[in-house]
Amino acid sequence: QVQLVESGGGLVQAGGSLRLSCAASGRTFSSYAMGWFRQAPGKEREFVARVSWSATITSYADSVKGRFTISRDNAKNTVYLQMNDLKPEDPAVYYCAADSGGSGLRIKTPSRYHYWGQGTQVTVSS
């Protein structure tokens, strides 16, 4: 089992940057692909980015491609989301999630991910 704790959210001006972190407990962290999702009020949870267990493969939502970068440090049991050029449409609660594989669901589907953090709020002021 994996427990996930996000941090790094906050208030930033449009065009600014934030780096989110997700610390994982458990010795098997390096075997999980990790994803970031976000959910704004009144909207469904949406895929943001994903990194493979080896950090060699990354995927991004079109809306963040070129602005956000996902990375991981398996030695520190941590996954990161560097967010640059934040826009008014980016505010949401951001969640990290762990995928142990085998579900057959698409990688952008929240139900594919087995473990979730509690989320961290990102707010962007214009």
Side-chain angles (χ1 to χ4, degrees):
Q1 193 167 358
V2 177
Q3 292 185 325
L4 305 171
V5 179
E6 301 96 334
S7 61
L11 172 64
V12 64
Q13 286 190 329
S17 299
L18 282 174
R19 188 175 84 153
L20 306 183
S21 299
C22 173
S25 64
R27 296 179 297 171
T28 59
F29 170 76
S30 61
S31 66
Y32 292 88
M34 297 296 297
W36 283 97
F37 288 76
R38 66 187 182 186
Q39 187 166 19
K43 295 187 176 182
E44 293 186 352
R45 191 167 297 190
E46 66 172 358
F47 172 80
V48 175
R50 173 187 169 95
V51 61
S52 63
W53 67 270
S54 61
T56 55
I57 301 172
T58 57
S59 302
Y60 296 93
D62 288 343
S63 59
V64 307
K65 202 171 293 184
R67 300 189 296 123
F68 291 10
T69 301
I70 189 171
S71 61
R72 68 189 296 163
D73 185 337
N74 286 341
K76 295 182 178 179
N77 278 13
T78 303
V79 62
Y80 305 98
L81 185 68
Q82 178 67 43
M83 305 186 296
N84 298 330
D85 189 23
L86 282 159
K87 300 182 181 298
E89 57 264 34
D90 292 322
V93 177
Y94 282 70
Y95 300 90
C96 69
D99 171 20
S100 61
S103 73
L105 298 172
R106 297 181 65 181
I107 64 170
K108 298 182 179 181
T109 305
S111 55
R112 177 188 174 108
Y113 296 77
H114 298 78
Y115 305 105
W116 292 83
Q118 83 291 347
T120 185
Q121 178 72 51
V122 171
T123 305
V124 179
S125 64
S126 56

